[in-house]
Amino acid sequence: MSEDTNLPENDQNVPADPTEVHSVGERRGMFGVRGSGDTSGYGGLVAPVVPTPAAQRPYGGWFDETADVLEARLGEQGLASAVESVVIHRGEITFHVRGEDVAVVAQLLRDDPALRFELLSGVSGVHYPDDTGREMHVVYHFLSMTHNRRIRVEVSLPDGAAVLPSVVGIYPTADWHERETYDMFGIVFTGHPALTRILMPDDWPGHPQRKDYPLGGIPVEYKGGTVPPPDQRRSYN
């Protein structure tokens, strides 16, 4: 497999209109944790959470080729506005796509000979509680083994309607990834063959990787596990 090294030299992430850049939250401390008793001085750090702005044409290298093919194929299906924006950051490209069109985009990425992204390597969630109307994000990671290229597709959803069509029928590898995203963030993938929790018990309340989930103080139950009394434990001497 030959390596496609025709990449842009610099990130093209300068917004056309600087007023479009907006904060989606505020981060306090080194890790965003409050009330930890931090005495290092990092607890006083305050920084806005600002997403990377949309890139402008030309993107450079094969990024333009991929974007051209994807936009052309979507236009043929009457979905010219399916791609909301394109972000290039640290030499990587992300297509921000409307939620209702993500399955169509995935099908094109897999089947079009000029794209041929045969592998979906991961689906993950992100929670931005202060990004009003776009609090829940889902990120898909695609690999083209034919062209040796990697891209991301990202979808933004409102917290109260975090529902997406499943892509398991297109990429079977999405099965457990969608289940984990559902388990950890509460995002529902319609059409999934068995959308159940995959890490937490079925009756676990809430979704642990959301930013509004409490830190600590959650009782942990190890079902079926027992600790024998000291005189019955195995000796390691």
Side-chain angles (χ1 to χ4, degrees), residues 23 51 59-60 123 141 155 169 197 210 215:
S23 171
Y59 304 141
V123 181
H141 304 265
V155 176
R197 290 187 182 272
R210 289 175 55 100
L215 289 175

Side-chain angles (χ1 to χ4, degrees), residues 115-134:
L115 299 171
R116 198 63 78 188
F117 285 88
E118 300 97 340
L119 175 64
L120 173 63
S121 61
V123 181
S124 54
V126 190
H127 184 203
Y128 295 103
D130 298 320
D131 191 7
T132 305
R134 300 166 63 90

Side-chain angles (χ1 to χ4, degrees), residues 6 39 48 64 72 77 104 123-124 142 194 207 209 222 228 232:
N6 188 21
T39 59
D64 286 287
Q77 299 188 35
V104 176
V123 181
S124 54
F142 294 94
H207 304 280
Q209 286 191 340
Y222 295 94
Q232 297 180 20

Side-chain angles (χ1 to χ4, degrees), residues 47-72:
V49 178
V50 180
T52 304
Q56 305 301 313
R57 294 277 198 166
Y59 304 141
W62 58 264
F63 291 169
D64 286 287
E65 176 188 339
T66 301
D68 288 344
V69 173
L70 184 58
E71 291 173 9

Side-chain angles (χ1 to χ4, degrees), residues 125-222:
V126 190
H127 184 203
Y128 295 103
D130 298 320
D131 191 7
T132 305
R134 300 166 63 90
E135 294 88 355
M136 308 306 298
H137 291 224
V138 180
V139 185
Y140 302 79
H141 304 265
F142 294 94
L143 166 66
S144 170
M145 291 177 283
T146 298
H147 304 294
N148 196 18
R149 299 171 177 176
R150 294 179 184 269
I151 66 169
R152 276 190 298 268
V153 168
E154 186 167 342
V155 176
S156 302
L157 303 165
D159 194 358
V163 180
L164 282 176
S166 173
V167 298
V168 171
I170 305 166
Y171 290 97
T173 55
D175 188 344
W176 285 12
H177 294 285
E178 289 183 352
R179 286 180 61 194
E180 182 175 352
T181 305
Y182 162 71
D183 193 358
M184 295 291 105
F185 294 92
I187 296 166
V188 175
F189 296 88
T190 59
H192 189 285
L195 191 63
T196 57
R197 290 187 182 272
I198 192 171
L199 298 174
M200 309 304 292
D202 291 337
D203 59 351
W204 190 267
H207 304 280
Q209 286 191 340
R210 289 175 55 100
K211 298 290 178 60
D212 53 8
Y213 195 80
L215 289 175
I218 304 298
V220 178
E221 299 178 2
Y222 295 94

